Amino acid sequence: MNREDRYAYGMKVLEQVDGEAGARIVDSLADTSPELGHQVVAWAFGDMYARPELAPRERQLVTLGVLTALGGCEIELEVHLNAALNVGLTTTEITEALLHSAVYCGMPRSINATLVAKKVFAERGLLPVTNLG
C-alpha cells in the first residue's frame, strides 16, 4: 500500500475502534504536527492495531495497562477507555485490569487511571461498577 492507502485503511480502523474521539486527537495535531497525526492513523492503527494476532479487546487491555503504567497519559487513556467499551470490554473487566495494574505499576497510577475510567463511565451512564472480590 502507498502512503495514502495506509492512511485510509488506518482511518477506517481508528473509526471502528475509537470513533470520534480518535479523529479528534488526529485533528488536534493538524496545525502542529500533521505528520504525527498521519503516523497515528497509518502506523498505529493501519499497521499495528489491525494485526490479526490479537483481538481488539486484547489490544485495548494491553493499551490500558501500558497507559496506566506510564502515567501522565490521561488524554490518551480517556480515548482508549472509550475504545475498550466500543470493542466490547465491560466496565468490570476494565476496572479489574486497572486494579491489577496496581500490583505492577503502583497505587497512584492505578488510582489515576481508575478516576479517568470513572469520568468515562459517568459520561456513558455506566456507574456504579461493582467488582468487590
Side-chain angles (χ1 to χ4, degrees):
M1 282 194 266
N2 65 29
R3 180 177 170 85
E4 292 78 24
D5 292 341
R6 286 180 60 233
Y7 185 86
Y9 180 69
M11 187 55 80
K12 180 181 171 188
V13 175
L14 176 70
E15 289 170 355
Q16 290 171 346
V17 175
D18 286 343
E20 293 178 13
R24 280 194 303 272
I25 295 292
V26 173
D27 290 345
S28 73
L29 297 169
D31 62 352
T32 308
S33 183
E35 184 59 23
L36 180 57
H38 177 86
Q39 293 301 323
V40 166
V41 173
W43 181 67
F45 282 87
D47 293 344
M48 298 305 292
Y49 196 91
R51 292 175 57 81
E53 288 77 13
L54 291 177
R57 290 170 46 92
E58 295 163 334
R59 288 196 186 279
Q60 284 305 318
L61 280 173
V62 170
T63 302
L64 295 179
V66 170
L67 292 174
T68 298
L70 285 171
C73 299
E74 288 75 16
I75 293 170
E76 293 85 0
L77 192 55
E78 185 173 340
V79 170
H80 285 283
L81 283 159
N82 275 294
L85 293 166
N86 292 345
V87 298
L89 286 167
T90 67
T91 56
T92 300
E93 290 170 325
I94 291 168
T95 55
E96 195 65 28
L98 300 178
L99 172 64
H100 185 73
S101 70
V103 175
Y104 294 95
C105 62
M107 284 288 190
R109 290 193 173 160
S110 177
I111 291 169
N112 288 346
T114 300
L115 292 175
V116 176
K118 179 179 179 174
K119 177 181 183 279
V120 169
F121 297 165
E123 289 170 351
R124 291 177 75 147
L126 300 173
L127 290 176
V129 178
T130 56
N131 65 335
L132 296 175

